[in-house]
Amino acid sequence: MSEPISALNHASYDGIAKVEECGLQGMITLRGDLSDKVLAKAVKDATGQKVPGQREALVKGDTGVCWMSPDELLVLVQYAEVNAKLADIAGALSGTHALAANVSDARAVFRVSGPNAREVLGKLAPVDLSPDAFQPGQIRRSRLAQVAGAFWMDDAETFRVVCFRSAADYVFKLLKVAAQPGSEVGFY
Amino acid sequence: MLTLKCPFTGAMLDETELHCGGEAHRKRFGPGSSDEDFETYMFVRENRKGVHFELWLHAYGIGKWFIAARDTETLEVYGTYPAQTTEPPQDIKDAITAKRPGWSWREFE
């Protein structure tokens, strides 16, 4: 049995914000009718969270659920549990029109933390990241320079960023450049 | 720079995270249709100064198509709605009429 390893194996960088690759994170893409009670129960059983509303991210640590589109959720679970949780979800949804797939190894997850975390993300994504417009509990899917990515805030100074694993090195370098010492803009 | 409100997520999307799909509300003419109808479907496009309806895809995001009603002259955006809509919703028609009385675009007015 080979040992699973994340895209950049906990690489980190300290600048105006701390950028870390979070390591292995269990991720399940769940598509279906989000108003469906069976789906809501499957999400509750897997994560302890309700089905998030539009653009909501209900995440505690490495467990939670994010709203990805009107018919798609991203279920976050511990990496070691992902197969068991996936089987539970798939079993619960066997009678409904829905799809659950393990995408843990297809993605990379970063954490950007520090008082300037907003600045770092604000340089890379065409999104209004002012505290009035973007708060913990919200998720936004957008682009990070030239690749697709999603991010949410764990608290007022911490972002979690998800991108495709194939773009992990690119995104880490982007975040490093955006977090260079002395590159504070002071906009937010 | 164009900023469009996504009708699915409510987020304000920047032009750079979108992909334009050309003219909206095209009516498909398939096998058995007349050559004129197929030619219209395939080749004939509006190229307006003023009110225009376009398809847009949130390519770097949720990956869904929507339609934007906007003005090519003033760059004003009248509204957006899901691409599954066959006719512009009444509130968007009203918004256009308020700014451009007597407008028409293909079969809509």
mmCIF file of all heavy atoms in Angstrom, chain A residues 31 54-55 67-68 70-71 126 140-143 146 148, chain B residues 8-14 16-17 58 60-62 64:
data_model
loop_
_atom_site.group_PDB
_atom_site.id
_atom_site.type_symbol
_atom_site.label_atom_id
_atom_site.label_comp_id
_atom_site.label_asym_id
_atom_site.label_seq_id
_atom_site.Cartn_x
_atom_site.Cartn_y
_atom_site.Cartn_z
ATOM 1 N N ARG A 31 -23.366 16.237 -5.543
ATOM 2 C CA ARG A 31 -24.282 16.963 -6.417
ATOM 3 C C ARG A 31 -25.665 16.357 -6.314
ATOM 4 O O ARG A 31 -25.812 15.143 -6.209
ATOM 5 C CB ARG A 31 -23.799 16.919 -7.874
ATOM 6 C CG ARG A 31 -22.441 17.543 -8.050
ATOM 7 C CD ARG A 31 -22.203 17.901 -9.481
ATOM 8 N NE ARG A 31 -22.914 19.116 -9.819
ATOM 9 C CZ ARG A 31 -22.486 19.987 -10.720
ATOM 10 N NH1 ARG A 31 -21.374 19.776 -11.375
ATOM 11 N NH2 ARG A 31 -23.177 21.075 -10.985
ATOM 12 N N GLN A 54 -26.953 29.770 0.155
ATOM 13 C CA GLN A 54 -26.173 30.355 -0.934
ATOM 14 C C GLN A 54 -24.855 30.965 -0.439
ATOM 15 O O GLN A 54 -24.863 31.798 0.464
ATOM 16 C CB GLN A 54 -27.035 31.427 -1.586
ATOM 17 C CG GLN A 54 -26.530 31.900 -2.921
ATOM 18 C CD GLN A 54 -27.428 32.988 -3.487
ATOM 19 O OE1 GLN A 54 -27.651 34.013 -2.873
ATOM 20 N NE2 GLN A 54 -27.958 32.749 -4.667
ATOM 21 N N ARG A 55 -23.738 30.528 -0.999
ATOM 22 C CA ARG A 55 -22.383 31.050 -0.720
ATOM 23 C C ARG A 55 -21.944 30.865 0.731
ATOM 24 O O ARG A 55 -21.062 31.544 1.208
ATOM 25 C CB ARG A 55 -22.262 32.535 -1.084
ATOM 26 C CG ARG A 55 -22.492 32.854 -2.541
ATOM 27 C CD ARG A 55 -21.811 34.158 -2.936
ATOM 28 N NE ARG A 55 -22.100 35.285 -2.113
ATOM 29 C CZ ARG A 55 -23.200 36.023 -2.201
ATOM 30 N NH1 ARG A 55 -24.103 35.734 -3.112
ATOM 31 N NH2 ARG A 55 -23.383 37.038 -1.404
ATOM 32 N N TRP A 67 -21.015 25.452 0.191
ATOM 33 C CA TRP A 67 -21.952 25.605 -0.932
ATOM 34 C C TRP A 67 -21.147 25.947 -2.178
ATOM 35 O O TRP A 67 -20.466 26.971 -2.220
ATOM 36 C CB TRP A 67 -22.924 26.725 -0.589
ATOM 37 C CG TRP A 67 -24.078 26.895 -1.535
ATOM 38 C CD1 TRP A 67 -25.294 26.309 -1.430
ATOM 39 C CD2 TRP A 67 -24.135 27.749 -2.683
ATOM 40 N NE1 TRP A 67 -26.100 26.743 -2.452
ATOM 41 C CE2 TRP A 67 -25.414 27.618 -3.241
ATOM 42 C CE3 TRP A 67 -23.224 28.598 -3.315
ATOM 43 C CZ2 TRP A 67 -25.817 28.303 -4.377
ATOM 44 C CZ3 TRP A 67 -23.627 29.277 -4.460
ATOM 45 C CH2 TRP A 67 -24.911 29.123 -4.975
ATOM 46 N N MET A 68 -21.194 25.098 -3.206
ATOM 47 C CA MET A 68 -20.375 25.324 -4.395
ATOM 48 C C MET A 68 -21.194 25.874 -5.562
ATOM 49 O O MET A 68 -20.664 26.580 -6.418
ATOM 50 C CB MET A 68 -19.696 24.029 -4.835
ATOM 51 C CG MET A 68 -18.755 23.460 -3.785
ATOM 52 S SD MET A 68 -17.372 24.560 -3.415
ATOM 53 C CE MET A 68 -16.160 23.964 -4.566
ATOM 54 N N PRO A 70 -25.790 25.978 -7.028
ATOM 55 C CA PRO A 70 -27.149 25.628 -6.587
ATOM 56 C C PRO A 70 -27.409 24.123 -6.519
ATOM 57 O O PRO A 70 -28.406 23.696 -5.938
ATOM 58 C CB PRO A 70 -28.042 26.281 -7.643
ATOM 59 C CG PRO A 70 -27.227 27.391 -8.188
ATOM 60 C CD PRO A 70 -25.813 26.904 -8.167
ATOM 61 N N ASP A 71 -26.528 23.313 -7.122
ATOM 62 C CA ASP A 71 -26.742 21.866 -7.055
ATOM 63 C C ASP A 71 -25.466 21.116 -6.658
ATOM 64 O O ASP A 71 -25.318 19.949 -6.958
ATOM 65 C CB ASP A 71 -27.269 21.341 -8.403
ATOM 66 C CG ASP A 71 -26.333 21.689 -9.550
ATOM 67 O OD1 ASP A 71 -25.269 22.270 -9.274
ATOM 68 O OD2 ASP A 71 -26.666 21.375 -10.695
ATOM 69 N N PRO A 126 -10.326 38.530 -8.421
ATOM 70 C CA PRO A 126 -11.117 39.719 -8.752
ATOM 71 C C PRO A 126 -12.392 39.784 -7.916
ATOM 72 O O PRO A 126 -13.496 39.773 -8.440
ATOM 73 C CB PRO A 126 -11.429 39.532 -10.231
ATOM 74 C CG PRO A 126 -11.505 38.055 -10.388
ATOM 75 C CD PRO A 126 -10.531 37.462 -9.413
ATOM 76 N N ARG A 140 -16.317 31.747 -1.823
ATOM 77 C CA ARG A 140 -16.357 32.346 -3.158
ATOM 78 C C ARG A 140 -15.520 31.468 -4.076
ATOM 79 O O ARG A 140 -14.380 31.131 -3.755
ATOM 80 C CB ARG A 140 -15.788 33.766 -3.096
ATOM 81 C CG ARG A 140 -15.745 34.494 -4.428
ATOM 82 C CD ARG A 140 -17.145 34.798 -4.943
ATOM 83 N NE ARG A 140 -17.178 36.016 -5.743
ATOM 84 C CZ ARG A 140 -16.826 36.067 -7.040
ATOM 85 N NH1 ARG A 140 -16.438 34.989 -7.662
ATOM 86 N NH2 ARG A 140 -16.891 37.221 -7.677
ATOM 87 N N ARG A 141 -16.107 31.099 -5.209
ATOM 88 C CA ARG A 141 -15.349 30.401 -6.258
ATOM 89 C C ARG A 141 -14.994 31.439 -7.301
ATOM 90 O O ARG A 141 -15.856 32.139 -7.803
ATOM 91 C CB ARG A 141 -16.190 29.298 -6.886
ATOM 92 C CG ARG A 141 -16.478 28.175 -5.931
ATOM 93 C CD ARG A 141 -17.383 27.156 -6.561
ATOM 94 N NE ARG A 141 -16.668 26.313 -7.518
ATOM 95 C CZ ARG A 141 -17.259 25.324 -8.186
ATOM 96 N NH1 ARG A 141 -18.530 25.082 -8.042
ATOM 97 N NH2 ARG A 141 -16.551 24.605 -9.034
ATOM 98 N N SER A 142 -13.713 31.522 -7.605
ATOM 99 C CA SER A 142 -13.269 32.536 -8.546
ATOM 100 C C SER A 142 -11.965 32.057 -9.175
ATOM 101 O O SER A 142 -11.700 30.870 -9.235
ATOM 102 C CB SER A 142 -13.087 33.857 -7.808
ATOM 103 O OG SER A 142 -12.699 34.864 -8.708
ATOM 104 N N ARG A 143 -11.174 33.035 -9.626
ATOM 105 C CA ARG A 143 -9.868 32.659 -10.147
ATOM 106 C C ARG A 143 -8.787 33.239 -9.245
ATOM 107 O O ARG A 143 -8.960 34.272 -8.600
ATOM 108 C CB ARG A 143 -9.688 33.144 -11.579
ATOM 109 C CG ARG A 143 -9.574 34.622 -11.702
ATOM 110 C CD ARG A 143 -9.429 35.080 -13.135
ATOM 111 N NE ARG A 143 -9.507 36.526 -13.160
ATOM 112 C CZ ARG A 143 -8.462 37.336 -12.974
ATOM 113 N NH1 ARG A 143 -7.257 36.837 -12.796
ATOM 114 N NH2 ARG A 143 -8.615 38.636 -12.978
ATOM 115 N N GLN A 146 -4.307 32.927 -12.791
ATOM 116 C CA GLN A 146 -4.751 32.257 -14.024
ATOM 117 C C GLN A 146 -5.455 30.920 -13.812
ATOM 118 O O GLN A 146 -5.759 30.229 -14.792
ATOM 119 C CB GLN A 146 -3.547 32.041 -14.953
ATOM 120 C CG GLN A 146 -2.926 33.348 -15.385
ATOM 121 C CD GLN A 146 -1.794 33.145 -16.361
ATOM 122 O OE1 GLN A 146 -1.837 32.283 -17.212
ATOM 123 N NE2 GLN A 146 -0.760 33.944 -16.214
ATOM 124 N N ALA A 148 -8.456 28.393 -11.592
ATOM 125 C CA ALA A 148 -9.668 28.410 -10.780
ATOM 126 C C ALA A 148 -9.332 28.048 -9.337
ATOM 127 O O ALA A 148 -8.432 27.252 -9.074
ATOM 128 C CB ALA A 148 -10.683 27.418 -11.344
ATOM 129 N N PHE B 8 -27.233 32.833 -10.068
ATOM 130 C CA PHE B 8 -27.239 31.603 -9.269
ATOM 131 C C PHE B 8 -26.637 31.813 -7.888
ATOM 132 O O PHE B 8 -27.097 31.240 -6.909
ATOM 133 C CB PHE B 8 -26.464 30.493 -9.990
ATOM 134 C CG PHE B 8 -27.031 30.136 -11.320
ATOM 135 C CD1 PHE B 8 -26.433 30.571 -12.488
ATOM 136 C CD2 PHE B 8 -28.183 29.373 -11.412
ATOM 137 C CE1 PHE B 8 -26.958 30.251 -13.725
ATOM 138 C CE2 PHE B 8 -28.717 29.050 -12.640
ATOM 139 C CZ PHE B 8 -28.108 29.491 -13.798
ATOM 140 N N THR B 9 -25.567 32.611 -7.790
ATOM 141 C CA THR B 9 -24.891 32.769 -6.503
ATOM 142 C C THR B 9 -25.106 34.142 -5.900
ATOM 143 O O THR B 9 -24.800 34.335 -4.729
ATOM 144 C CB THR B 9 -23.369 32.575 -6.657
ATOM 145 O OG1 THR B 9 -22.857 33.645 -7.449
ATOM 146 C CG2 THR B 9 -23.047 31.264 -7.321
ATOM 147 N N GLY B 10 -25.577 35.093 -6.677
ATOM 148 C CA GLY B 10 -25.739 36.444 -6.169
ATOM 149 C C GLY B 10 -24.439 37.203 -6.059
ATOM 150 O O GLY B 10 -24.425 38.340 -5.611
ATOM 151 N N ALA B 11 -23.321 36.589 -6.468
ATOM 152 C CA ALA B 11 -22.021 37.252 -6.349
ATOM 153 C C ALA B 11 -21.793 38.170 -7.546
ATOM 154 O O ALA B 11 -22.311 37.925 -8.636
ATOM 155 C CB ALA B 11 -20.915 36.203 -6.275
ATOM 156 N N MET B 12 -21.020 39.225 -7.313
ATOM 157 C CA MET B 12 -20.648 40.110 -8.406
ATOM 158 C C MET B 12 -19.415 39.535 -9.094
ATOM 159 O O MET B 12 -18.365 39.384 -8.476
ATOM 160 C CB MET B 12 -20.348 41.510 -7.882
ATOM 161 C CG MET B 12 -21.540 42.187 -7.225
ATOM 162 S SD MET B 12 -23.014 42.275 -8.265
ATOM 163 C CE MET B 12 -22.519 43.531 -9.438
ATOM 164 N N LEU B 13 -19.562 39.211 -10.379
ATOM 165 C CA LEU B 13 -18.491 38.512 -11.082
ATOM 166 C C LEU B 13 -17.764 39.478 -12.008
ATOM 167 O O LEU B 13 -18.379 40.219 -12.757
ATOM 168 C CB LEU B 13 -19.060 37.354 -11.903
ATOM 169 C CG LEU B 13 -19.952 36.377 -11.137
ATOM 170 C CD1 LEU B 13 -20.435 35.289 -12.070
ATOM 171 C CD2 LEU B 13 -19.207 35.780 -9.964
ATOM 172 N N ASP B 14 -16.450 39.388 -11.970
ATOM 173 C CA ASP B 14 -15.624 40.217 -12.824
ATOM 174 C C ASP B 14 -15.553 39.599 -14.216
ATOM 175 O O ASP B 14 -15.589 38.379 -14.373
ATOM 176 C CB ASP B 14 -14.229 40.284 -12.206
ATOM 177 C CG ASP B 14 -13.347 41.256 -12.938
ATOM 178 O OD1 ASP B 14 -13.463 42.450 -12.662
ATOM 179 O OD2 ASP B 14 -12.551 40.814 -13.786
ATOM 180 N N THR B 16 -13.153 39.081 -16.046
ATOM 181 C CA THR B 16 -12.003 38.191 -16.246
ATOM 182 C C THR B 16 -12.231 36.783 -15.721
ATOM 183 O O THR B 16 -11.441 35.899 -15.997
ATOM 184 C CB THR B 16 -10.742 38.769 -15.579
ATOM 185 O OG1 THR B 16 -11.010 38.956 -14.192
ATOM 186 C CG2 THR B 16 -10.345 40.074 -16.198
ATOM 187 N N GLU B 17 -13.268 36.563 -14.910
ATOM 188 C CA GLU B 17 -13.538 35.182 -14.490
ATOM 189 C C GLU B 17 -14.695 34.577 -15.285
ATOM 190 O O GLU B 17 -15.171 33.498 -14.985
ATOM 191 C CB GLU B 17 -13.789 35.088 -12.980
ATOM 192 C CG GLU B 17 -14.875 35.994 -12.454
ATOM 193 C CD GLU B 17 -14.988 35.947 -10.922
ATOM 194 O OE1 GLU B 17 -15.018 34.840 -10.376
ATOM 195 O OE2 GLU B 17 -15.028 37.012 -10.307
ATOM 196 N N HIS B 58 -19.762 31.377 -16.046
ATOM 197 C CA HIS B 58 -18.821 31.608 -14.941
ATOM 198 C C HIS B 58 -17.745 30.523 -15.005
ATOM 199 O O HIS B 58 -17.778 29.529 -14.278
ATOM 200 C CB HIS B 58 -19.553 31.599 -13.596
ATOM 201 C CG HIS B 58 -18.707 32.100 -12.470
ATOM 202 N ND1 HIS B 58 -19.019 31.897 -11.160
ATOM 203 C CD2 HIS B 58 -17.535 32.786 -12.471
ATOM 204 C CE1 HIS B 58 -18.087 32.445 -10.387
ATOM 205 N NE2 HIS B 58 -17.179 32.978 -11.160
ATOM 206 N N TYR B 60 -14.478 30.370 -14.286
ATOM 207 C CA TYR B 60 -13.582 30.130 -13.148
ATOM 208 C C TYR B 60 -14.362 29.963 -11.845
ATOM 209 O O TYR B 60 -13.863 30.284 -10.776
ATOM 210 C CB TYR B 60 -12.586 31.284 -13.011
ATOM 211 C CG TYR B 60 -11.508 31.263 -14.061
ATOM 212 C CD1 TYR B 60 -11.620 32.005 -15.224
ATOM 213 C CD2 TYR B 60 -10.370 30.489 -13.886
ATOM 214 C CE1 TYR B 60 -10.641 31.986 -16.187
ATOM 215 C CE2 TYR B 60 -9.372 30.461 -14.839
ATOM 216 C CZ TYR B 60 -9.516 31.221 -15.985
ATOM 217 O OH TYR B 60 -8.532 31.187 -16.932
ATOM 218 N N GLY B 61 -15.581 29.511 -11.934
ATOM 219 C CA GLY B 61 -16.373 29.408 -10.717
ATOM 220 C C GLY B 61 -17.344 28.265 -10.807
ATOM 221 O O GLY B 61 -16.949 27.125 -11.008
ATOM 222 N N ILE B 62 -18.630 28.555 -10.689
ATOM 223 C CA ILE B 62 -19.601 27.481 -10.567
ATOM 224 C C ILE B 62 -19.898 26.807 -11.898
ATOM 225 O O ILE B 62 -20.555 25.789 -11.932
ATOM 226 C CB ILE B 62 -20.915 27.967 -9.914
ATOM 227 C CG1 ILE B 62 -21.634 28.967 -10.814
ATOM 228 C CG2 ILE B 62 -20.659 28.569 -8.553
ATOM 229 C CD1 ILE B 62 -23.064 29.204 -10.390
ATOM 230 N N LYS B 64 -21.745 27.704 -14.547
ATOM 231 C CA LYS B 64 -23.114 27.738 -15.069
ATOM 232 C C LYS B 64 -23.279 28.920 -16.023
ATOM 233 O O LYS B 64 -22.673 29.965 -15.858
ATOM 234 C CB LYS B 64 -24.117 27.843 -13.918
ATOM 235 C CG LYS B 64 -24.050 26.637 -12.997
ATOM 236 C CD LYS B 64 -25.404 26.292 -12.444
ATOM 237 C CE LYS B 64 -25.317 25.158 -11.451
ATOM 238 N NZ LYS B 64 -25.009 23.871 -12.093
#
